[in-house]
Amino acid sequence: DAKTTQPPSMDCAEGRAANLPCNHSTISGNEYVYWYRQIHSQGPQYIIHGLKNNETNEMASLIITEDRKSSTLILPHATLRDTAVYYCIVRVEFSGNTPLVFGKGTRLSVIA
Amino acid sequence: NAGVTQTPKFQVLKTGQSMTLQCAQDMNHEYMSWYRQDPGMGLRLIHYSVGAGITDQGEVPNGYNVSRSTTEDFPLRLLSAAPSQTSVYFCASSYSMPGTEAFFGQGTRLTVV
């Protein structure tokens, strides 16, 4: 079972910030928070990840609460091309690698 | 740099036929995995590999076989296709170290009739 909870769908006006929440109340100290998105039926695309600090890259910002039990993905200026399903994933990192386990994600619709 | 390449993109099989879905990556990634995605659902892990010669089962392994003889290739075999295996299949790869991103192929749409 996925270890995260996300709203099934959200709408956002084009040009506005899209804030996608994720609850991961059972996260442990060695688990990262990852965000991926899937546009239409393409392969998922990596967006960003973090452990405990906030992170920013050219696509988005990731805000992780101090207790690490929830996070928010922020798309600062959403465009129609950002319409997709967004997946929040927590992942334990061992010395090897562990699978990404996908839940159902949040379907973001950006509206003109 | 091709990334993760899946072939074929589309396939129709008859029940009971066998086939191999190909996945190749040119990034020297140790970790590779196969997922299936049914309509309106998230991705479910079928099998994964942490390196050549090492494979393990995911959430839905029944009906599928894998092997990893090289770092670059991770084929998925359907020995006797069933209509329940109609799905979109995605292959992914990544480096085997903490905090790395996974790269996905564009998928293979399989229909079993």
Side-chain angles (χ1 to χ4, degrees):
Chain A
D1 290 335
K3 298 166 67 174
T4 62
T5 303
Q6 299 178 251
S9 64
M10 294 181 63
D11 292 337
C12 178
E14 188 178 21
R16 303 296 293 270
N19 297 283
L20 290 88
C22 180
N23 286 323
H24 31 79
S25 59
T26 61
I27 194 169
S28 56
N30 61 346
E31 288 183 314
Y32 286 75
V33 179
Y34 286 80
W35 283 84
Y36 283 77
R37 73 180 182 183
Q38 188 175 25
I39 296 173
H40 193 44
S41 297
Q42 298 176 17
Q45 174 190 25
Y46 165 83
I47 302 173
I48 198 167
H49 73 276
L51 185 59
K52 52 184 176 182
N53 298 320
N54 297 338
E55 301 288 345
T56 296
N57 63 20
E58 65 278 4
M59 289 181 66
S61 295
L62 173 60
I63 308 298
I64 303 174
T65 58
E66 191 168 347
D67 63 7
R68 301 186 71 239
K69 293 185 177 181
S70 66
S71 61
T72 301
L73 178 75
I74 301 173
L75 307 178
H77 305 288
T79 70
L80 298 178
R81 287 192 298 267
D82 292 321
T83 292
V85 178
Y86 287 77
Y87 297 98
C88 170
I89 301 167
V90 295
R91 182 184 188 188
V92 178
E93 301 291 345
F94 295 115
S95 58
N97 212 331
T98 51
L100 290 169
V101 177
F102 288 80
K104 294 186 177 179
T106 295
R107 181 173 297 278
L108 175 69
S109 298
V110 180
I111 303 166
Chain B
N1 190 342
V4 179
T5 302
Q6 291 184 236
T7 55
K9 288 186 171 53
F10 302 93
Q11 183 71 48
V12 178
L13 285 180
K14 294 183 179 179
T15 297
Q17 285 185 316
S18 63
M19 81 159 295
T20 299
L21 280 63
Q22 301 291 344
C23 176
Q25 52 90 9
D26 61 357
M27 297 171 281
N28 203 32
H29 287 165
E30 303 96 332
Y31 185 86
M32 297 184 74
S33 53
W34 276 102
Y35 294 84
R36 62 175 288 174
Q37 186 172 33
D38 300 322
M41 303 288 289
L43 283 76
R44 292 186 293 170
L45 182 68
I46 304 172
H47 285 286
Y48 64 98
S49 169
V50 299
I54 305 169
T55 64
D56 206 346
Q57 296 182 349
E59 180 186 358
V60 288
N62 293 339
Y64 307 94
N65 282 350
V66 292
S67 60
R68 183 95 180 271
S69 56
T70 67
T71 299
E72 295 78 18
D73 300 300
F74 191 42
L76 179 72
R77 290 191 263 300
L78 285 71
L79 297 179
S80 179
S84 61
Q85 294 178 304
T86 294
S87 191
V88 181
Y89 292 83
F90 291 100
C91 178
S93 75
S94 68
Y95 287 114
S96 183
M97 66 179 76
T100 56
E101 65 177 282
F103 294 83
F104 285 79
Q106 287 306 298
T108 294
R109 294 181 177 277
L110 176 66
T111 301
V112 183
V113 297

